Amino acid sequence: MKGKANLSQDSEVNHMMNEKLQEIKNRALEQIKDTDSLEKLSEVRVAFLGKKGELTDVLKSMKNVDPKDRPAVGQLVNETRKAIEDVLDEAKKNLSEKMREIQMKAEVIDVTLPAKKAVYGHPHPNTRALDEIKRIFIGMGYEVIEGPEVEYDYYNFEALNIPANHPAKDEQDTFYINDKIVLRTQTSGEQVHVMEKGKLPIRMISPGRVYRADEVDATHSPCFHQVEGMVVDENITFSDLKGTLAEFAKQLFGPETKVKFRPHHFPFTEPSAEMDVSCFKCGGKGCRMCKGEGWIEILGCGMVHPHVFEMSGIDPEKYTGFAFGIGLERIALLKYEIDDMRLLYENDDRFLKQF
Ligand code: DAH
């Protein structure tokens, strides 16, 4: 009797379990059906199958089930779990596909829409002018080298025949790091560096930044650029200088360009000259560009001074040479018809875009 009563009581529990599991399953399937996102789906999974989920709770209550009925009830729980899992997996698959479709539709590219314009950078006028100068001299067999901007006083002045008390030093007043080191005032020191290396012949240009204690105005800046040039070999004469620089001017400003050499003084060349080009705007008649002169000064030049050769260990009896110094900004301003040097340094996009 006792056993029977117990059994019916157990059956009662089993029955209740069965119903409860059925109810859980129905609720789970209902919720899965209503789910429209993968996140919600995973919430449903946690709520029913997770560690603290409803099915786990049922498993925990197995202790109330008669031990001999436990396998049957356990199987029921597993079946329920499996049923919910299958539907969850199926729903996940369907939802993923649906989401992918939605995403693909959203990402459809309308090839008929106008494209966004890519914004291209522009070479700075200085860069363009320098590229042009390099192209011309490389074409004549020159090599391009670069020297230090922070320079020994010796290279910037002394080795170029500008001793301590020379007035040329005043004109190029500059920024001193200490007694012996300066921010170079000219690229001419590069002549000395190349000569000291002792590899002859020399045919080089050396572009770079130089510094002077100048006030900023339309034609001055405390930092600007020069391109130095030097040729050293046996039998180099002033006519080599003239021929080379005339060819340079023609290539830079056009085949009609004429050149004119005016005597000048530079401490490291003898004789020295400044070279003018006929105005490429008016052809020499006189205009705003050349300030009515018909000529525009573009560089300083001369035959390397024998003393400069001696100081750098080159025999002036055997070798001769010429040198020149071009102001890069001046070329850029002329070539691209810019009337204020400050524009080159302001980095105003509206200006730079024009080149
Ligand atoms: N360094 C000179 C200056 O800054 C320019 C110059 C003149 C360079 C004559 C030279 C040269 O090489 O021969 O004014």
Side-chain angles (χ1 to χ4, degrees):
M1 273 299 280
K2 197 178 172 219
K4 213 173 178 193
N6 272 347
L7 189 69
S8 81
Q9 209 180 19
D10 286 345
S11 301
E12 187 68 9
V13 172
N14 291 354
H15 185 68
M16 273 169 56
M17 277 293 218
N18 202 354
E19 263 189 4
K20 188 165 169 61
L21 286 169
Q22 196 61 44
E23 187 270 327
I24 289 175
K25 185 169 130 188
N26 290 343
R27 232 169 354 98
L29 299 190
E30 193 66 24
Q31 286 190 25
I32 293 168
K33 212 168 75 195
D34 290 345
T35 300
D36 58 0
S37 79
L38 291 170
E39 292 80 47
K40 278 190 201 150
L41 202 61
S42 122
E43 279 166 24
V44 175
R45 185 185 290 270
V46 171
F48 287 94
L49 310 180
K51 268 191 200 150
K52 293 178 182 157
E54 296 201 29
L55 267 190
T56 318
D57 280 349
V58 175
L59 277 177
K60 280 180 191 155
S61 68
M62 285 276 271
K63 58 181 182 297
N64 301 329
V65 176
D66 190 300
K68 73 173 161 39
D69 289 328
R70 279 182 197 165
V73 175
Q75 196 185 343
L76 251 170
V77 173
N78 281 340
E79 276 167 17
T80 309
R81 164 177 282 275
K82 175 93 172 55
I84 297 176
E85 254 169 10
D86 286 351
V87 179
L88 267 173
D89 289 347
E90 180 69 17
K92 188 175 173 186
K93 207 174 123 217
N94 292 341
L95 252 179
S96 304
E97 264 168 31
K98 210 167 105 191
M99 301 309 266
R100 223 173 95 79
E101 238 165 69
I102 291 173
Q103 196 188 6
M104 298 259 278
K105 276 205 186 113
E107 284 177 2
V108 155
I109 297 167
D110 181 351
V111 290
T112 65
L113 279 177
K116 273 194 204 142
K117 281 228 173 80
V119 185
Y120 292 107
H122 294 259
H124 190 277
N126 274 355
T127 310
R128 286 193 53 177
L130 180 56
D131 284 349
E132 189 73 357
I133 294 169
K134 278 191 201 163
R135 185 187 62 75
I136 297 169
F137 281 106
I138 289 171
M140 294 197 264
Y142 286 57
E143 68 177 318
V144 182
I145 56 170
E146 278 184 37
E149 287 174 34
V150 182
E151 181 61 290
Y152 285 108
D153 183 278
Y154 174 79
Y155 289 92
N156 195 79
F157 295 120
E158 219 136 303
L160 291 166
N161 244 354
I162 310 171
N165 299 316
H166 198 285
K169 230 174 148 169
D170 263 3
E171 279 166 31
Q172 299 190 2
D173 202 7
T174 190
F175 305 96
Y176 281 80
I177 309 289
N178 60 33
D179 279 357
K180 290 207 168 72
I181 300 174
V182 296
L183 293 188
R184 66 178 175 189
T185 62
Q186 50 185 350
T187 45
S188 302
E190 218 24 45
Q191 294 183 24
V192 182
H193 284 293
V194 195
M195 287 189 290
E196 279 186 349
K197 286 205 180 104
K199 229 181 105 207
L200 292 162
I202 293 167
R203 210 180 282 129
M204 68 86 173
I205 57 166
S206 183
R209 229 172 255 142
V210 300
Y211 302 83
R212 293 190 192 178
D214 278 341
E215 296 283 339
V216 174
D217 65 27
T219 52
H220 290 88
S221 158
C223 169
F224 58 103
H225 300 76
Q226 290 186 334
V227 183
E228 195 69 22
M230 180 178 228
V231 171
V232 179
D233 202 347
E234 289 177 39
N235 303 316
I236 299 289
T237 67
F238 201 90
S239 41
D240 293 312
L241 176 157
K242 283 176 80 176
T244 303
L245 295 178
E247 176 58 24
F248 164 66
K250 281 192 170 61
Q251 287 200 34
L252 192 63
F253 293 113
E256 309 301 321
T257 310
K258 293 191 206 58
V259 294
K260 176 169 93 173
F261 292 85
R262 281 179 291 100
H264 199 79
H265 171 261
F266 295 105
F268 42 93
T269 44
E270 179 60 32
S272 304
E274 278 183 334
M275 185 179 91
D276 297 347
V277 292
S278 56
C279 178
F280 50 89
K281 192 84 181 163
C282 64
K285 287 199 284 294
C287 68
R288 207 176 83 93
M289 191 80 184
C290 55
K291 303 200 177 77
E293 297 282 322
W295 294 94
I296 301 170
E297 179 214 318
I298 65 157
L299 57 81
C301 57
M303 300 304 290
V304 182
H305 197 293
H307 188 226
V308 169
F309 272 147
E310 274 166 3
M311 281 187 282
S312 293
I314 290 178
D315 180 1
E317 296 298 328
K318 189 168 177 210
Y319 291 99
T320 48
F322 65 85
F324 51 92
I326 308 165
L328 182 63
E329 277 78 357
R330 192 160 168 72
I331 302 291
L333 297 185
L334 286 170
K335 228 177 133 51
Y336 309 117
E337 301 188 26
I338 302 162
D339 56 13
D340 192 324
M341 191 166 167
R342 284 167 287 201
L343 287 165
L344 294 176
Y345 307 118
E346 280 167 358
N347 276 341
D348 187 330
D349 200 34
R350 292 166 301 177
F351 166 74
L352 292 173
K353 261 190 201 155
Q354 300 172 42
F355 302 95

